[in-house]
Every structure is written in C-alpha cells, then in structure tokens.
Amino acid sequence: MDSPVQIPFKSFIQLKPEESTAIYLQIVFEFIKAIQIGLLPEGTKLPGTRILCKLLEVNRNTLIKAFQDLELQGWIEILPNKGTFILSEKKQKNKAEFAPIETENASKISEPFTFKRSTILENPKETSTLPYQFNDGLPDLRLVQTDVLARLYVSKLKRKKNTKTWEQIQTQSHLNFKTQFSNFLNLTRGIRISTSNLLTTTSHEISLYLVTKLLISPGDKVVVASPGYYMSNMTLSDSGGQIITIPVDKDGIDTGHLRQICEKQSIRLLYLTSNYHYPTTTSLSAKRRMEVLELANKYGFVILEDDYDFDFHYDNNPVLPLAALDSNERVVYIGSFGRSLPAGFGYGFIAAPSEFIKELEKHQNILEPEIDVIKEQVLTEWIMEGEVHRLSKKNKKIYKERRDYFVSLLKEKLDGKIKFQIPLRGLAIWVEWLDNFNLINLQKQCIINGLFLPKTILYQTKNLTATRLGFGHLDEAEMEKAVAILSKSLEEII
C-alpha cells in the first residue's frame, strides 16, 4: 500500500471555510464519504495529525476533534504507538465488542424496517432560481403591511399579566377569534353560521385533509371537474376516493353530465370550486348552481365547496358561494383567510353542520393540539379594527390594476396566438394557445431565456393546449419582461 503521506488527501477532502458548518464536522463528513466510496480502504494507515493538518491546512486541535468524532462513530481506530487506521466495516467492530455470542438462529444482518409508500402524494411542485417566473396565481408578499402586524403583536406581547390560567386564556381567546371570524364570513360571503358551525385550521390544506378523511371511505365515488386542481385530487385519492371526472365549459361544470353519473351510480362527494374554477377561472352559472344543489338533495351526495381565492374579487357584487344558498345542509364549505399575509399568519377554515364540526375537532386535536393564542388575538383585533377590510380594499385595487396591465401585455405581445377571458377574480389568467406545439418545448426554451414555467401550470391533451399564468406576484416591469420572454420563446419553437 502507498505511504499515507502519498495519498492525495487534498483531492477528496474538500473544506469550505465560508460555509456555516464547523470545519471539524466538514472533515468528519469528507472522511466518511471517502471511506464509503473506497478512496480510503479498510486498513489504510493515516498520517500523523501534525502532518495531516499541514496537508489540509487546518488547526491541529480541529483535526484531533474530528478524529475523536470519527473514532466514536467507528470509522477509524486509533492505536497508541501504532497509528490511526481506517475501519470501513464499523458494524463488525461493534459486534465484536458489544454483541452476545451468536447462535445458529441469530440473524447475522439486521433487515431494514418496511413502511407504506405513496405514489399518490408525490409532490409535483418545482422550484427555480431564474429571475422571472410564472406560478398558478400567488399573491405578492411584498405588499404585506408588516408594520401593522408588528404593532399588534408587540401590543399583545407587552400586555399586563393576566390572572387567568393559561387554559382559560386559550379558551377565551379562541372563542373570541371564532366569534369575530364567523361574523366576518357571514358579512363577506353571505353565509349564516355561528361559532358551532366553524372550524379554523392553520392552513387551507389542513382543512381539505381533515374533511376528506372524515367524508371519504375507500371505494367511495368522488366527482371532480376536468381539468381540475392537482393538489385536491391527490388528497381525495389518498383518502381512498375513486375519482370520476366531468367536463367544464364557460358556465362551469357540466351539470347534465353530473346528472347522468348520479342516475347510474351512487356518488359520495362532489368536489367543486364554484366561484373561481381551478385552473380555468370560470364561475359556475346561477342556473347550474341551483341544479347542483338540487342534485345533491335528490341523490344524497355531499358538496365539498372550495372557495380558495375569495379574497381577490374585482367586482362590487361578488358571486356568493353555494353555502350561502344551501338550505338542506348538503354543503361543506372550506376556504382560506389572509392569503396576502406572511406565511404562518393565514388560516384555513371549514363551515359545516355543527355535528360534523364536532367530529372534525376530534381529529384536529391530533394534528393541531395547540392554539396560537397571540396569533389569534392579533387577528381578532385586526378584524375588529377593520384592518382586514382596509387591506382587502387596498390589495384588490392593486391586483385589479395588475390584472388589467397583464391583459394588455398579453394582447400586445401574443395577439393572434392565444385566447382568454378576463377573470372577475383571482390572480391568474387561463390562456389557451391557438397553435399546435409541445408545451414542454416551450418550457425548455423559456428556461434558456430566463423564464421559469412550472409543469403544474401547463395543460396539454389531444384537444387542449393551455397555461394558467399567475400575475399577482409580478409588478409591471416584471410582467413586461416575463411576457416578452414568453413571446420570444414561442417564436423560437414554432
């Protein structure tokens, strides 16, 4: 074997002082990697610490600390007056020192444990560091009024000590929050609920998860629109639901098709984004709203109405959810609150019959056993002071201006190449391409030119080539650049 000094340690022990990880830990990690890939075979004698610290240009105490860690983990063996040696088979060393005498029936190799794996819940989301990106319709967190939130938080944290117990404070704060929040929903969405009909959660996704786990059993038939929302479809499928799709047109889901399905088989649930269909942005017409409620009452299925983007509507008379028209308690209404707030401040909610809410609370106590008292107190005061309404009014004006400017750019740069309807709410526009081309090729060309299009906003079938383009997170200059790149990339692939 080569002399230990001749081993080119600097070629495979790469240390990066600029990183936050301590140098001694970097040495540990690099040695383990070198041992595992065979660069330092079992039995290799390492140079003395004085020589090695010069080769690696590190402090000797740092190297000694790293060697102590490697020895404790069983990767090396330090023998007094003999040297330091590689032990690649650390399990053999541990067995020899600590294991009982092996019997004929003893397992020589410990088998790894097994666990359930889900192919349904593979996360389809992608990330990119490109300067310009489209998404499926997210708000611009640069518009958040952090000064208002900070003032409210500080005031709550500095308040005088309360003589009540922590449990009493939690209970009272949560009741106050639910009271204000239910009033807020009644006022803005036209529904008629009390605190017993409301469950608040930490996110919209948690709300959807809880409801589907309670409503759906394996094998239940679940109707969804096509094209539809990939995340909700994943959650519904994971709960055991058998997905049945129905088409969508300019008036929303095809209720005639829904009626045909109901006549042939038993339906457990209809998942519906009635006010702002994902991804096409269409709204369910008044006639079809009444037909859906009639069918639910006649055939006994539950309507899971997802109103994920109610906060962003641009008309003075927003379309109210089905829950506001439901007189037979067939609708479970879920939505989000505070999408314009920083991560952690928003809420999900579920409005439903009180008995269903009670059962949901049992499951929520497992997933979310603690109440964020300060957060709820801040948002309670935010609602009471009218700050929520002021922020909503301000944001709607900004996002409407962005929508209109984005529409003008699409008409200018992509005239004759696309068709779309201007949505009355939301932060995205559904664009259908008139030319026949592969959207993945467009995505690749956009990446070359500095624009990222995630696969989750691309929709292509035999009869459809479309893209959901979110504009809410972009200012005017960013929109101009993004649309220009999109137009240029299209010309380059056609």
Side-chain angles (χ1 to χ4, degrees):
M1 182 175 290
D2 291 339
S3 164
V5 179
Q6 295 175 346
I7 298 175
F9 289 96
K10 285 288 295 233
S11 67
F12 55 82
I13 305 297
Q14 303 289 329
L15 305 179
K16 299 178 181 179
E18 70 276 8
E19 291 188 354
S20 59
T21 304
I23 292 296
Y24 91 92
L25 280 177
Q26 292 188 39
I27 295 172
V28 171
F29 298 151
E30 291 294 288
F31 264 92
I32 291 174
K33 182 172 69 175
I35 294 168
Q36 290 177 327
I37 65 177
L39 295 175
L40 293 174
E42 181 183 6
T44 299
K45 183 178 180 181
L46 299 178
T49 54
R50 295 182 188 278
I51 296 174
L52 195 54
C53 70
K54 290 181 180 180
L55 290 173
L56 300 179
E57 299 177 350
V58 296
N59 183 279
R60 185 165 177 258
N61 290 334
T62 301
L63 187 63
I64 290 173
K65 186 176 181 181
F67 272 20
Q68 290 172 342
D69 200 312
L70 286 166
E71 185 180 32
L72 285 172
Q73 294 187 50
W75 293 104
I76 65 174
E77 184 177 27
I78 301 175
L79 301 176
N81 301 321
K82 291 186 179 181
T84 302
F85 300 87
I86 298 297
L87 283 175
S88 61
E89 299 295 334
K90 61 176 183 175
K91 288 183 179 179
Q92 291 184 3
K93 178 176 183 285
N94 290 339
K95 280 186 180 181
E97 293 183 1
F98 305 112
I101 298 175
E102 216 174 68
T103 65
E104 291 184 2
N105 295 327
S107 175
K108 294 184 178 181
I109 300 176
S110 175
E111 292 293 331
F113 62 85
T114 60
F115 53 91
K116 295 179 180 178
R117 297 178 185 269
S118 173
T119 56
I120 295 173
L121 298 179
E122 294 290 344
N123 191 348
K125 291 185 178 180
E126 304 165 286
T127 58
S128 172
T129 57
L130 289 177
Y132 302 100
Q133 303 184 24
F134 279 115
N135 55 46
D136 65 351
L138 298 176
D140 190 348
L141 294 184
R142 294 172 294 186
L143 301 178
V144 172
Q145 292 182 308
T146 52
D147 55 332
V148 176
L149 288 172
R151 174 175 57 80
L152 288 173
Y153 244 87
V154 170
S155 68
K156 291 302 176 186
L157 290 171
K158 286 185 175 180
R159 71 191 188 282
K160 293 181 180 180
K161 290 184 178 180
N162 203 311
T163 56
K164 296 180 180 179
T165 65
W166 182 245
E167 289 76 12
Q168 290 173 325
I169 294 172
Q170 278 188 317
T171 301
Q172 187 60 50
S173 293
H174 188 55
L175 181 59
N176 290 341
F177 175 63
K178 287 187 68 175
T179 299
Q180 291 299 324
F181 195 57
S182 59
N183 291 340
F184 173 78
L185 292 177
N186 289 335
L187 178 65
T188 57
R189 289 161 170 81
I191 57 179
R192 299 176 295 277
I193 61 170
S194 64
T195 55
S196 64
N197 302 117
L198 177 68
L199 182 75
T200 58
T201 65
T202 55
S203 71
H204 171 267
E205 291 76 16
I206 290 291
S207 297
L208 181 61
Y209 178 83
L210 287 170
V211 169
T212 56
K213 287 300 179 185
L214 243 66
L215 287 179
I216 300 174
S217 299
D220 281 347
K221 304 293 192 302
V222 179
V223 177
V224 302
S226 179
Y229 186 32
Y230 62 92
M231 290 296 288
S232 61
N233 287 350
M234 287 166 55
T235 305
L236 293 165
S237 297
D238 185 61
S239 297
Q242 292 186 8
I243 302 293
I244 301 172
T245 61
I246 56 175
V248 178
D249 59 26
K250 62 181 179 61
D251 292 319
I253 62 167
D254 186 339
T255 49
H257 195 98
L258 176 60
R259 186 182 298 275
Q260 291 174 8
I261 292 173
C262 292
E263 289 172 352
K264 295 178 182 178
Q265 51 192 314
S266 177
I267 301 302
R268 171 57 176 163
L269 182 141
L270 168 66
Y271 172 81
L272 186 64
T273 48
S274 61
N275 284 345
Y276 183 66
H277 175 65
Y278 188 104
T280 67
T281 75
T282 58
S283 179
L284 190 65
S285 68
K287 179 176 180 291
R288 291 189 180 179
R289 287 169 182 271
M290 301 312 298
E291 289 174 345
V292 166
L293 289 170
E294 174 199 332
L295 290 172
N297 191 42
K298 180 177 180 179
Y299 292 101
F301 61 80
V302 180
I303 301 170
L304 176 51
E305 183 179 21
D306 189 343
D307 202 359
Y308 65 97
D309 238 358
F310 187 92
D311 291 344
F312 307 108
H313 59 81
Y314 309 118
D315 48 353
N316 294 325
N317 297 301
V319 178
L320 297 179
L322 284 175
L325 308 172
D326 178 31
S327 58
N328 297 305
E329 295 192 328
R330 305 304 307 178
V331 178
V332 174
Y333 179 59
I334 67 173
S336 58
F337 168 79
R339 287 193 67 206
S340 293
L341 299 179
F345 277 92
Y347 264 95
F349 67 85
I350 304 163
S354 57
E355 290 302 312
F356 184 65
I357 294 295
K358 286 180 182 178
E359 193 63 29
L360 283 172
E361 288 173 343
K362 299 176 186 177
H363 295 263
Q364 186 187 31
N365 287 336
I366 298 174
L367 291 177
E368 301 177 330
E370 296 297 327
I371 295 172
D372 190 336
V373 173
I374 302 300
K375 174 183 170 182
E376 289 196 347
Q377 288 178 343
V378 168
L379 293 180
T380 298
E381 193 163 327
W382 223 48
I383 295 172
M384 292 175 63
E385 289 184 355
E387 199 64 46
V388 169
H389 295 286
R390 286 192 287 272
L391 177 63
S392 176
K393 186 176 180 179
K394 177 183 177 182
N395 281 346
K396 278 192 284 188
K397 181 177 183 295
I398 293 172
Y399 287 125
K400 183 178 184 299
E401 291 172 351
R402 290 189 178 185
R403 181 203 64 178
D404 294 344
Y405 191 68
F406 189 59
V407 165
S408 69
L409 288 173
L410 292 177
K411 289 180 177 179
E412 176 189 348
K413 299 292 185 181
L414 294 167
D415 183 43
K417 300 174 183 178
I418 60 174
K419 66 176 182 178
F420 62 91
Q421 296 292 325
I422 302 175
L424 295 177
R425 65 171 61 201
L427 302 177
I429 292 181
W430 177 252
V431 170
E432 295 186 28
W433 302 91
L434 301 179
D435 292 316
N436 186 20
F437 63 91
N438 190 308
L439 282 176
I440 297 300
N441 291 339
L442 177 63
Q443 181 202 39
K444 292 177 180 178
Q445 192 61 40
C446 283
I447 289 174
I448 293 172
N449 294 328
L451 172 68
F452 181 60
L453 302 177
K455 290 186 177 69
T456 51
I457 71 170
L458 308 179
Y459 294 81
Q460 190 152 36
T461 65
K462 181 180 178 180
N463 301 315
L464 176 69
T465 301
T467 308
R468 181 180 165 95
L469 297 177
F471 59 83
H473 65 298
L474 303 170
D475 60 27
E476 290 190 358
E478 292 164 339
M479 285 184 201
E480 290 171 2
K481 187 64 177 177
V483 175
I485 294 174
L486 186 62
S487 176
K488 176 186 175 184
S489 302
L490 182 64
E491 292 175 358
E492 291 171 343
I493 67 166
I494 294 180

